[in-house]
Amino acid sequence: MKILRLEVPHWEQFDGLVHGFLGRFGDQGQPPNAAFRLSYDDGGDPQAIKRNWCELKLAIGLRDISIITAKQVHGDTILHVCSATEKLAGIGDGLMTDAPNLCVGVMAADCVPLLFVEPVRKIAAAVHAGWRGTAAGIAPRAVTLMKEVYRIDPAALHVAMGPSIGPCCYEVGPEVAEQIAANWREELMGTWRPEGVKGRLDLRALNEAQLLGAGIPQSHIRKIGPCTACHVRDFFSYRKEGKSGHQLSFIGWRS
Ligand SMILES: [Zn+2]
């Protein structure tokens, strides 16, 4: 099985870092249908899901490392993962860890997957930010929590945002912009373009503005990959396909 895997070119310098933004898999790239299930909580056969994980890890050459995920609910909870004893860390839309030899991962299909890395202390985090998570400020919240829990300087963090729906395809109603503007009015400027009664939202640019406000240097923020809805052969897109599968983004450190 072949899987498209995008990596951050600049992160090659971080020795021992393992990461990737994966593309669609398990359905021969033909949208829609037959998505390759990885979520233990969506009613699928647990044995089949376990086999899917084995196949996936074999395909990306990570058989010896656990990938820990969470039951995602479009909220702003970030879970602190200390060990690889549980495959599912709990309910949350972000996971962070300072433990070696495990990866944290999030699933997305249009929403923004964000991977964070602090290369000196070897901290890693993965965050899922749709418009609700972004309105709740989940990305800057991850920065604040890493600062508190691991005592790191936000200026030392690097962030990459993976394939997600672009402003070319993401039309939303004014109520969405209003909810975001409640806490992020300044950040919304330039990332929201009204068009008639609706408007277009640039979710990655909005997250970038939030991250800059949280103290991450501009030069440490990268955008990897295209708009998911424009590239459904390579990526699942909920907006384009209706009920779709989800692609995995993951990050961690080998000791
Ligand atoms: Zn697009």
Side-chain angles (χ1 to χ4, degrees):
M1 182 173 69
K2 279 194 75 161
I3 298 182
L4 174 66
R5 175 178 176 179
L6 303 180
E7 290 176 275
V8 185
H10 187 76
W11 290 3
E12 278 170 15
Q13 61 174 314
F14 302 145
D15 210 20
L17 182 71
V18 181
H19 77 286
F21 295 104
L22 302 184
R24 62 190 304 143
F25 42 86
D27 64 351
Q28 286 77 49
Q30 295 303 313
N33 304 325
F36 192 82
R37 299 272 168 226
L38 289 171
S39 300
Y40 281 101
D41 56 17
D42 69 356
D45 169 16
Q47 287 306 318
I49 291 162
K50 201 174 170 185
R51 279 197 302 276
N52 291 346
W53 271 106
C54 288
E55 206 179 319
L56 168 79
K57 286 167 72 181
L58 194 66
I60 56 177
L62 283 181
R63 261 197 309 180
D64 56 331
I65 280 192
S66 289
I67 302 176
I68 316 295
T69 57
K71 181 175 167 55
Q72 298 175 192
V73 292
H74 294 278
D76 67 346
T77 299
I78 316 265
L79 303 164
H80 178 191
V81 178
C82 306
S83 72
T85 47
E86 296 287 339
K87 297 271 179 266
L88 207 58
I91 297 172
D93 286 83
L95 306 98
M96 60 184 196
T97 190
D98 61 350
N101 299 319
L102 66 83
C103 283
V104 287
V106 288
M107 311 282 190
D110 288 343
C111 295
V112 183
L114 297 104
L115 299 180
F116 293 77
V117 61
E118 200 280 353
V120 177
R121 294 277 315 284
K122 301 201 168 178
I123 310 295
V127 165
H128 157 256
W131 78 261
R132 284 189 179 82
T134 304
I138 189 168
R141 183 170 159 72
V143 176
T144 305
L145 278 176
M146 281 187 273
K147 192 171 143 186
E148 284 172 11
V149 174
Y150 304 126
R151 307 270 167 210
I152 55 168
D153 181 357
L157 277 169
H158 294 253
V159 188
M161 291 180 266
S164 39
I165 195 161
C168 42
C169 299
Y170 198 34
E171 194 178 51
V172 292
E175 70 285 355
V176 170
E178 275 163 29
Q179 283 192 52
I180 294 168
N183 289 313
W184 308 99
R185 183 167 294 280
E186 213 171 287
E187 289 77 4
L188 190 63
M189 279 166 57
T191 66
W192 159 259
R193 199 175 73 227
E195 263 183 22
V197 287
K198 292 190 170 185
R200 287 177 187 274
L201 182 62
D202 188 338
L203 262 185
R204 291 206 291 196
L206 182 55
N207 274 273
E208 181 179 18
Q210 291 177 328
L211 290 167
L212 288 170
I216 299 193
Q218 177 85 68
S219 61
H220 288 191
I221 304 173
R222 290 180 168 78
K223 294 172 190 159
I224 303 295
C227 165
T228 41
C230 284
H231 293 83
V232 282
R233 287 212 166 266
D234 289 333
F235 301 99
F236 293 115
S237 170
Y238 187 81
R239 196 43 97 89
K240 194 71 173 264
E241 303 173 82
K243 190 164 169 54
S244 70
H246 294 85
Q247 44 255 348
L248 174 73
S249 301
F250 63 93
I251 189 162
W253 290 90
R254 284 188 192 278
S255 59

